[in-house]
Structure formats: structure tokens, C-alpha cells
Amino acid sequence: MNEVIEKKYVLAINPGSTSTKIAVFENLEPQFVQNIAHHKKDLEKFKNINDQYEYRKKTILKTLLDRKFDITMLSAVVARGGLMKPIEGGVYTINQRMVDDLMAGVSGKHASNLAAVIAYGISWDLNLPSFVVDPPVIDEFTPLAKLTGMPEIKRRSMLHALNIRAVARRESEKMARNFDDLNLIVAHLGGGVSIAALERGKIVDGTNALYEGPLTPERAGTLPTGDLMELIFSGKYKTKEELYAKLVGKSGFNAYLNTNSAKEVGELYAQNNPTARLVFDGMAYQVAKFIAEMAAVLKGKVDAIIITGGMAFSKGLTDLIAERVSFISKVILHPGEDEMRALAEGCLRVLNGAETPKVYR
């Protein structure tokens, strides 16, 4: 007799600065995914991100109505985690303390902070549970991983935690192994790059996606401290904001070739453009170097190296990386990222009793 699988409908919410992405899943099957664009003139009416709450919530509900989806069918609402207090990885029930911290911006202001707030509001109205999954503020670093040569400065965990942990879980299932029993290195390659060491399910070390690691299509990555200090005091950059824009948006491929498109750089590479070959090969070289660094963190006991993110579609790039790191462990390609599915997966683990949600305190 075929087992009847109970249908569970999940609404996933992922806001960006000028849009809000939503998806409705029936179990893990997407019923629809929609990116709701917000007109600049509409957003300009609000003084800050928090003031956009009612506007974005109403827009989501109207979109569901236009899609003729009956919201009373929902089993839960799940949201991308925002910049709350640093917490360990997992699925968290959204509560008032989390909402208050996100509205206060305890770890920074970002559009993603509204995700859990909106999810909490919709779920409150419908008397449903609501969750966040592996927010970007996950902090499972060991004291050794946080240590620097200056007591005033500690390394911070800031990486693509949602995709890294989701991909690691999926590949663990393919290996017929328990995620919490494996040691994995996951390299997320996109506009930003995160390279993380997962020891028995926890991200115990990793590169900061904004300020560390390899050069990326638009970020500088790790820089020589002395030269950076000279640049800061050179007078070229008048404000902290100008330097930030340079390091995080106008560096990497952008600085060398005036484009942050990996596809365009790949085309120039194929045409034997010397600068394109240098930065493309250089990125692969640096990714491999940081993967090896994470292997040292795991004392060489690495069950697999997983390469994911949008740039993992580039066979040329992944071949260059694998050539340098395959001596450490097998290299698995898991190209692309699907944050909405990752949110639904986490939510359904809780709804199906496979995982107990954590409490945000």
C-alpha cells in the first residue's frame, strides 16, 4: 500500500533592498516563485526600512490573492534570517524578542531584517508557526578561529550560511551519511565568496564574505594590512563609505576589467586576454588556497569538498580549483543556489518532526 504523504504548504519570504521574493511550496514542490519589484517612488515614501513593514506585508498578501492561493491552507511561514544577535545554526521559531532585535538593528540595518518581522505578522494573523533558517549571523566559530593578533579585533562569522548548510545537507543525504557526522569544506562562489569548514554540522571557521578570502567578481578579499593602511591614509578615499564601496563593490574583476560579470570575464579568458587570464586563474588559485586553509582547521579529516554558488557553473573555474585541492578529498560540484528551497527544507524538517526548532533568546 502506498503511503499517503500529508500536504504541507509553506510560504517563504526573502526581501531585498528593492524587491521581495516569495515562494509557496507544497511540501518541497514549488507552487510558484515570484519576485515582487518595488517601485522607487513607493519606497521613497518611507524614512527607513522598518517603516516599509506594512507596505511589504500588504504587497505579499495581494500577490498571494492575485495568484488565487488560499492563505488558510498554509501550515507555516518561513523567512530569511536578518541581522539579529549572533546565534548557532539551525531553525528558529520567530518570537517577539527576535522581532524587536531585528527592528532595532542590533547587528546592522538591512532589508532582510524585515523578513522575519513580516513572517511573524502574517503567521500571527493566521495563528500559524513561523521560522527563520540559518541566518547570516550564525556564529559557531571556535575561540581559536576568532583570535587575531590584536585583542581589540576579533574575526567575525559572516558568510552564506543558508546555502552552505543546505547544500551540505543535500550532499550528505546523497552520500547516505548523517550531516552531523561529516567534516566538510564548502566553497560558495558568487558575487561574494564564502569558504567554510563544517565540523560535524557546525561552521567552526570560514572566510568573511565581505572582507576576507579570495578576490571575487566585485570584492577585494584579504589584503596586505600594511598596503591597506597606506591606502586609507593616502587621502584618496575621503570617507569610510567611499572605501567600503571600493573594497566590497568596485574591486575584484570590477577593478581589473570594469565588469563584475563572471560570464564576460570567461569570454575574455577564452580570447586569451592577459588580464582576464590573470584574475580568473588568480581567483581559482586563491579559492584553492583558502580551501586548503580550512582543511588544516579540520586536521586533514575532510569527507568532501563541495563547490556551490553561481560561479560553480563555470567548468573552467571549478577544474582549476579541483586540480589544486583534490589531494585533500573528493570534490563535489553543486552549482547554483536556491535560498527559497533551503528555507522550505528547514521549515519542513521542523513540521515533519525531523528537527526541533531553537528558541531565540
Side-chain angles (χ1 to χ4, degrees):
M1 179 181 290
N2 293 331
E3 182 181 355
V4 178
I5 300 175
E6 180 186 356
K7 292 181 179 179
K8 294 184 175 69
Y9 290 92
V10 172
L11 169 64
I13 302 173
N14 185 358
S17 56
T18 60
S19 65
T20 302
K21 193 171 186 178
I22 66 169
V24 171
F25 289 83
E26 179 189 300
N27 298 327
L28 281 179
E29 289 299 317
Q31 300 305 290
F32 68 85
V33 179
Q34 184 161 336
N35 195 46
I36 305 167
H38 303 303
H39 294 296
K40 185 179 178 182
K41 62 181 178 62
D42 290 331
L43 296 181
E44 286 175 343
K45 298 174 185 176
F46 305 103
K47 290 183 179 179
N48 54 53
I49 292 170
N50 291 351
D51 291 345
Q52 298 174 19
Y53 165 74
E54 285 291 347
Y55 163 74
R56 294 212 192 206
K57 179 184 172 187
K58 288 178 181 177
T59 304
I60 291 170
L61 293 173
K62 181 180 183 302
T63 301
L64 294 170
L65 183 65
D66 291 345
R67 287 278 191 163
K68 296 181 169 54
F69 177 77
D70 181 3
I71 59 174
T72 63
M73 295 173 63
L74 288 172
S75 303
V77 185
V78 64
R80 177 187 177 191
L83 302 179
M84 58 194 81
K85 288 182 293 192
I87 53 177
E88 67 178 6
V91 181
Y92 285 78
T93 301
I94 302 173
N95 56 23
Q96 190 62 49
R97 184 182 294 272
M98 182 186 294
V99 168
D100 290 344
D101 281 353
L102 289 167
M103 295 293 274
V106 292
S107 291
K109 303 280 188 179
H110 192 273
S112 64
N113 288 12
L114 278 180
V117 182
I118 295 170
Y120 191 61
I122 292 175
S123 66
W124 181 275
D125 294 341
L126 298 172
N127 195 28
L128 296 173
S130 56
F131 309 100
V132 297
V133 182
D134 291 325
V137 291
I138 281 180
D139 185 3
E140 299 170 329
F141 279 18
T142 66
L144 289 177
K146 293 180 180 180
L147 183 70
T148 75
M150 296 178 64
E152 307 96 315
I153 298 175
K154 290 184 178 179
R155 293 185 64 242
R156 291 186 297 158
S157 174
M158 188 179 293
L159 31 72
H160 299 84
L162 179 61
N163 189 52
I164 285 172
R165 284 173 58 93
V167 165
R169 283 184 177 277
R170 291 172 199 156
E171 293 300 335
S172 298
E173 289 178 8
K174 291 178 186 178
M175 296 162 64
R177 298 282 301 279
N178 189 327
F179 169 64
D180 295 324
D181 292 335
L182 294 176
N183 286 353
L184 302 167
I185 298 171
V186 183
H188 174 104
L189 311 182
V193 171
S194 300
I195 300 171
L198 284 77
E199 184 173 29
R200 297 183 177 276
K202 291 189 179 297
I203 302 176
V204 295
D205 204 340
T207 59
N208 186 307
L210 290 177
Y211 308 117
E212 294 179 341
L215 65 88
T216 84
E218 57 189 19
R219 297 176 189 173
T222 300
L223 295 171
T225 308
D227 294 324
L228 180 59
M229 186 170 61
E230 291 293 333
L231 182 64
I232 291 169
F233 289 99
S234 68
K236 185 175 181 179
Y237 299 96
K238 305 299 183 186
T239 66
K240 178 181 175 181
E241 289 72 25
E242 286 180 11
L243 183 59
Y244 176 88
K246 173 62 177 176
L247 296 175
V248 177
K250 299 176 182 177
S251 292
F253 292 178
N254 236 348
Y256 286 93
L257 294 160
N258 201 33
T259 178
N260 63 358
S261 168
K263 182 174 181 291
E264 289 180 22
V265 173
E267 290 169 353
L268 291 170
Y269 187 98
Q271 297 166 19
N272 287 320
N273 179 292
T275 305
R277 295 190 74 87
L278 175 66
V279 296
F280 194 83
D281 289 348
M283 180 180 174
Y285 174 90
Q286 292 179 14
V287 169
K289 187 165 65 170
F290 282 100
I291 287 173
E293 183 178 296
M294 295 304 144
V297 169
L298 298 173
K299 300 179 180 178
K301 298 175 182 176
V302 181
D303 293 294
I305 298 165
I306 304 169
I307 303 177
T308 184
M311 289 191 72
F313 283 108
S314 169
K315 186 175 184 300
L317 182 67
T318 57
D319 282 352
L320 287 169
I321 296 168
E323 181 183 7
R324 292 183 180 276
V325 301
S326 57
F327 75 95
I328 297 170
S329 186
K330 63 182 175 183
V331 177
I332 298 172
L333 301 184
H334 193 115
E337 59 180 305
D338 191 343
E339 290 185 331
M340 306 309 279
R341 181 180 177 86
L343 292 173
E345 287 172 341
C347 182
L348 286 165
R349 285 197 302 273
V350 169
L351 294 181
N352 293 329
E355 184 173 331
T356 301
K358 297 175 180 177
V359 179
Y360 181 82
R361 303 184 189 281

